[in-house]
Amino acid sequence: MPIEMMIRKLRLHSELPDENIEALRSIVTPVKDLPEDSVIVREGDLSTQCCVVMSGFAYRSKVSETGKRQILSFHIAGDMPDLQGLPLKRMDHDLTTLSQARLGFINHDALERILDSRPALVRALWRETLCAGA
C-alpha cells in the first residue's frame, strides 16, 4: 500500500484501530510522481489538500526579507509535511520536492469527514505534527 511508511510512523506513538487506518488509506488519491524541484504548494496558496511523501524527499522553505530561501525542514517517506494547512487554510511557506518524489494527496474535505468520527486518528495525526515540529 502506498502510505505504509506514514502508518508505521503513526503507530509508533499511537494506537490506531484497523478501521481508522483503512479509512485513511481510502482517501489518499491521487498519487503523483513529481520531478526534482517541483513546487507542491506555495506560500500564500489556499490549502485544499495535504500530501504524504511516499518516496523521495521534500522540503519546506520561506523567502527571507533579503530574498534568500531559508529551508525550514526536510521531509522523507512517511511524512505529511503540510498537514497544518488543514486548520490554517493558507500556507505560510513553500513545499518543494528536493528529489524525484512520489506523493499521495488527501483532500481536506475527505480528511475532515473521516476525522469527525475517529478521535484516535485525530490525536495520532496531531501528535505526529507536534513531533515533527519539535
Side-chain angles (χ1 to χ4, degrees), residues 33-115:
D33 291 308
L34 299 175
E36 175 184 342
D37 204 32
S38 295
V39 175
I40 302 163
V41 65
R42 290 192 190 282
E43 182 175 357
D45 283 355
L46 183 63
S47 182
T48 60
Q49 63 184 1
C50 53
C51 69
V52 178
V53 178
M54 299 163 121
S55 66
F57 301 93
Y59 64 92
R60 293 185 317 131
S61 65
K62 290 183 78 79
V63 175
S64 71
E65 292 177 9
T66 62
K68 292 186 179 183
R69 180 173 44 198
Q70 178 181 7
I71 294 177
L72 305 172
S73 59
F74 292 98
H75 297 279
I76 62 172
D79 287 354
M80 289 182 76
D82 57 348
L83 186 58
Q84 68 274 17
L86 184 64
L88 296 178
K89 302 302 180 205
R90 277 219 189 267
M91 298 308 290
D92 68 346
H93 61 273
D94 294 332
L95 180 60
T96 309
T97 59
L98 182 61
S99 66
Q100 181 175 337
R102 173 168 274 198
L103 303 174
F105 291 88
I106 302 172
N107 177 280
H108 282 179
D109 291 338
L111 183 56
E112 291 275 9
R113 279 193 298 277
I114 69 165
L115 294 178

Side-chain angles (χ1 to χ4, degrees), residues 1-60:
M1 291 309 276
I3 63 165
E4 293 311 309
M5 294 292 289
M6 181 188 70
I7 291 166
R8 244 180 270 143
K9 281 182 72 174
L10 293 175
R11 284 190 158 161
L12 285 174
H13 55 65
S14 301
E15 286 194 34
L16 287 171
D18 289 339
E19 55 271 11
N20 285 359
I21 296 301
E22 290 310 313
L24 191 55
R25 278 188 183 120
S26 74
I27 62 170
V28 178
T29 183
V31 174
K32 295 180 182 177
D33 291 308
L34 299 175
E36 175 184 342
D37 204 32
S38 295
V39 175
I40 302 163
V41 65
R42 290 192 190 282
E43 182 175 357
D45 283 355
L46 183 63
S47 182
T48 60
Q49 63 184 1
C50 53
C51 69
V52 178
V53 178
M54 299 163 121
S55 66
F57 301 93
Y59 64 92
R60 293 185 317 131

